[in-house]
Amino acid sequence: MLRPTLICALLALSSAPALAGSFAGTSAGASSAGSSASSDSTSGDDKVVLQARDDAASFVASDGRIRGAQLEAALRQLRERRPDVRQASDMQLAQAILAL
């Protein structure tokens, strides 16, 4: 029951803002400075989680023996910003990151 909740929480964390940030960065008429600031502020959180996918794959494949810096940053961020996933194990969160 915890895993579907984790996946939904991570999808909510990373999907919508990333799409909004991407759209803001490509909208016609937006200044490059404005779109850059907008993209960074709305998708900065997503970037940390999405950039951790390779580390998450290594972590899962090695049964938790390989812990990359990007995965550590994503796990820390997720637990700080998402109280509903604080009780999840590192393995559960890594698997949820891979499911994104």
Side-chain angles (χ1 to χ4, degrees), residues 14-100:
S14 64
S15 297
L19 292 175
S22 297
F23 180 75
T26 60
S27 296
S31 71
S32 62
S35 65
S36 175
S38 173
S39 293
D40 289 344
S41 65
T42 59
S43 63
D45 296 342
D46 328 330
K47 288 179 184 178
V48 172
V49 173
L50 293 176
Q51 289 174 346
R53 292 194 76 202
D54 287 342
D55 282 359
S58 296
F59 181 79
V60 170
S62 70
D63 198 27
R65 289 184 296 276
I66 299 174
R67 300 180 69 93
Q70 289 178 326
L71 176 62
E72 291 295 332
L75 295 175
R76 186 173 36 259
Q77 178 178 295
L78 288 169
R79 288 192 172 109
E80 287 173 0
R81 298 195 173 141
R82 300 295 308 228
D84 53 325
V85 301
R86 286 186 182 148
Q87 299 302 317
S89 70
D90 290 351
M91 184 61 72
Q92 289 171 318
L93 289 175
Q95 290 170 337
I97 289 170
L98 289 174
L100 294 176

Side-chain angles (χ1 to χ4, degrees), residues 1-15 82 84-85 96 99-100:
M1 177 85 92
L2 184 60
R3 186 160 186 198
T5 303
L6 289 173
I7 293 172
C8 290
L10 290 175
L11 286 173
L13 176 68
S14 64
S15 297
R82 300 295 308 228
D84 53 325
V85 301
L100 294 176

